[in-house]
Amino acid sequence: MSQAVLDFMHNRRSVLIKNMTAPGPDTSQLADILTIASRVPDHRKLEPWRFLVIQGDARARLGQVLAEVKGKQQALEPEQLLAEQQTFLRAPVVVAVVASPIEHKTPRTEQILSAGAVCQHINIAAAAHGFASQWVTGWTFENPEAEAALGLSEYEFIAGYLYIGSSEEQPSDRKRPDLTDKVTWLSD
Ligand SMILES: Cc1cc2nc3c(=O)[nH]c(=O)nc-3n(C[C@H](O)[C@H](O)[C@H](O)COP(=O)(O)O)c2cc1C
């Protein structure tokens, strides 16, 4: 039993992107976070996910790419266009978790659940390294044009963007579920 791990899991919280600052994880910390992220349950070992690590100048470049896609899909005010261009600049590192389900005996939904587990492992590993993180999807979710612009195949989608940075303070907790509404205890 590890009380330290239990305490960590009881207290871990996401940090809103707007509250993130530099620094983000360095290359070796990021490699460790992605190694932990890859240690998720995965039915029949399909590894139905991959990562896009968006950092440095790539943040502005990909922000511009997505802003152009969004601008073709809907009219954007100048400040909305600027916000899209700068979306990845809000944190030092953004990891896009790409769900890559394939035709297989293992159902697609199971493969997608594994990709979701990858996202949460990133949240956990980032926090264990002392970083702030948040899992977001946003408007590009199941948006084929945005996915193509990011280099995804037609079978892939972004399970989540994991923004990773630093934060001064641990956020206060949010309301958590009442287990009496959630748990059916079956003993007999
Ligand atoms: C699949 C998924 C997608 C999400 N997408 C967004 C999003 O686009 N924007 C947002 O503000 N929060 C989004 N959230 C919620 C944030 O991550 C939120 O901060 C988080 O649920 C807080 O939980 P925690 O503090 O318990 O980790 C998403 C959560 C999940 C699981």
Side-chain angles (χ1 to χ4, degrees), residues 12-14 134-138 174 176:
R12 184 212 60 81
R13 274 230 61 193
S14 300
Q134 188 181 12
W135 175 359
V136 296
T137 45
R174 64 183 171 92
R176 296 293 170 178

Side-chain angles (χ1 to χ4, degrees), residues 13-17 19-20 132-134 166-167 169-171:
R13 274 230 61 193
S14 300
V15 173
L16 296 178
I17 298 165
N19 296 329
M20 282 182 202
S133 67
Q134 188 181 12
S166 295
S167 77
E169 322 169 4
Q170 168 80 357

Side-chain angles (χ1 to χ4, degrees), residues 16 28 34 38 56 62 78 81 94 104 125 128 153 178 181 187:
L16 296 178
S28 126
L34 297 182
S38 303
L62 283 181
L81 181 65
V94 183
H104 196 272
S153 81
D178 180 348
D181 298 335
S187 312

